[in-house]
Amino acid sequence: DDDDDDDDVMEWNLRKCSASGLDIISGLFQRDILPTLLPLLQAKLSDARWEVRESAILALGAIAEGCMEHMTDYLPQLVPWLIQTLADVKPLIRSISCWTLSRYARWVVHTPPAEMYFQPLMQELLKRVLDHNKKVQEAACSAFANVEEEAGAELVPYLGPVIQNLMF
């Protein structure tokens, strides 16, 4: 059952405490944590075990706010990879990828060309809004709200598909 992987998502647990700690550390030390953290994350993002990949995706989202200006060199490769993870077979990977991408929404929305980052993100988030897993649907709706807020008028060309998906 797809819901089995999501049982602990809503409770405050070691996973969320760790992400909160990374968020605080990244805010305090910003660039200084990246030489240590990025090689660890790179290894974990390519791990065969989905739980390990999920933890690395969570960590990427956790450091987004504190390290944003220092992550911009990595985002052109990272964002398309994260967008692909929105279609992962594991619901927890799909939901945490929604959250992580929402943390980088400003970069995605304002980095041209839109066909490379913004448009694919919109298409995949809208698919996840209709996901068969409720936790993924919730994460996609939340991520979409963040992207929508960041995009403002840049969302106008996509209103047709957006309204269709939200009204299904």
Side-chain angles (χ1 to χ4, degrees):
D1 183 55
D2 282 339
D3 291 326
D4 291 345
D5 296 334
D6 295 337
D7 289 342
D8 296 330
V9 172
M10 297 308 289
E11 65 185 51
W12 192 254
N13 54 29
L14 179 59
R15 184 176 158 278
K16 287 192 176 190
C17 289
S18 296
S20 178
L22 271 175
D23 184 25
I24 292 166
I25 288 170
S26 72
L28 292 171
F29 298 103
Q30 300 175 357
R31 175 190 306 230
D32 295 334
I33 69 165
L34 294 180
T36 302
L37 185 61
L38 289 179
L40 295 171
L41 290 179
Q42 187 173 12
K44 292 184 182 306
L45 289 171
S46 60
D47 196 286
R49 297 167 293 174
W50 74 266
E51 299 93 341
V52 174
R53 287 192 317 277
E54 188 275 340
S55 71
I57 296 168
L58 173 65
L60 284 169
I63 67 167
E65 189 173 320
C67 294
M68 179 61 76
E69 72 179 76
H70 309 293
M71 287 293 291
T72 55
D73 290 342
Y74 306 99
L75 293 178
Q77 294 82 29
L78 190 58
V79 166
W81 183 85
L82 285 168
I83 291 170
Q84 288 180 349
T85 65
L86 292 173
D88 196 273
V89 297
K90 290 293 186 179
L92 198 51
I93 295 271
R94 295 193 307 270
S95 64
I96 202 62
S97 295
C98 287
W99 177 75
T100 296
L101 282 160
S102 77
R103 304 270 290 172
Y104 292 100
R106 177 171 297 196
W107 185 89
V108 170
V109 168
H110 299 294
T111 301
E115 298 80 26
M116 178 90 62
Y117 307 110
F118 183 53
Q119 191 173 18
L121 177 61
M122 292 294 300
Q123 290 170 342
E124 289 304 314
L125 278 180
L126 289 173
K127 289 177 188 175
R128 299 295 64 91
V129 166
L130 301 175
D131 199 276
H132 61 275
N133 183 282
K134 288 206 175 288
K135 300 288 186 193
V136 175
Q137 290 174 3
E138 291 170 10
C141 286
S142 177
F144 179 77
N146 289 341
V147 171
E148 177 184 32
E149 187 174 303
E150 190 60 46
E154 294 176 55
L155 194 63
V156 170
Y158 308 99
L159 286 179
V162 167
I163 292 170
Q164 275 187 302
N165 272 50
L166 295 179
M167 300 289 295
F168 67 93

